[in-house]
Amino acid sequence: MYDHILVPTDGSDGTAQALDHALDIAATREAKIHALSVVDRRLYLAAGQEQKPDLKATMEEDAHEAVEEVAEAAAEAGVECTTTVRDGIPYRAILDYAAESEVDLIVMGTHGRSGRDKLANLGSVTERVVENTDVPILVVRMDSE
């Protein structure tokens, strides 16, 4: 049922908690993990002209580190993993990747924000993916610890 599991990552603790679930499912089902990190172009495009190149480079480096962390955890669990870094709007890039790669399951973390906090953070990438995908999705709420 699950042969390809997408784990979008930004390197946060929420991703680490979601990854634990994804690896458990992948190991049980002999599935492949797809680690995806998206460099949010809205952030570096909003920077001043002088800051854009350095900010983009830093964001790309962070994204590569995030997918490599997933790959290392997958290797330790004996699970095959592929890594991808894309530039774009995170929820759209996640949806596009899921469609292109024919993933069977998306596993994502969430902070469980609501109200003003959610508005201040421009909404939830996880929420937007949930609202716009037909792929089964497992949402893991991040522990507050």
Side-chain angles (χ1 to χ4, degrees), residues 2 5 21 28 35 62 64 77 79 92 94 105 116 128 137:
Y2 301 125
I5 301 171
H21 290 271
T28 303
D62 291 346
H64 283 285
V79 172
R92 289 183 186 158
I94 292 165
L105 177 67
R116 267 189 222 169
R128 289 181 180 173
I137 186 163

Side-chain angles (χ1 to χ4, degrees), residues 13-58:
D13 291 340
T15 298
Q17 292 175 25
L19 179 59
D20 289 342
H21 290 271
L23 289 173
D24 185 55
I25 294 167
T28 303
R29 305 246 181 215
E30 297 181 10
K32 180 178 183 177
I33 294 287
H34 294 255
L36 171 67
S37 189
V38 181
V39 176
D40 191 339
R41 72 171 50 140
R42 298 170 299 182
L43 299 178
Y44 68 80
L45 289 176
Q49 282 303 112
E50 292 180 13
Q51 292 85 16
K52 279 182 191 179
D54 289 341
L55 179 58
K56 184 177 181 186
T58 299

Side-chain angles (χ1 to χ4, degrees), residues 54-119:
D54 289 341
L55 179 58
K56 184 177 181 186
T58 299
M59 292 172 68
E60 287 172 345
E61 183 179 320
D62 291 346
H64 283 285
E65 288 176 10
V67 295
E68 286 307 315
E69 287 176 11
V70 172
E72 290 171 12
E76 289 176 16
V79 172
E80 185 180 354
C81 181
T82 185
T83 62
T84 304
V85 172
R86 293 213 174 154
D87 184 276
I89 297 172
Y91 84 94
R92 289 183 186 158
I94 292 165
L95 293 169
D96 289 345
Y97 184 92
E100 293 164 15
S101 302
E102 299 180 1
V103 299
D104 308 307
L105 177 67
I106 302 170
V107 180
M108 298 179 72
T110 185
H111 293 279
R113 292 184 177 110
S114 62
R116 267 189 222 169
D117 194 30
K118 187 163 134 184
L119 288 173

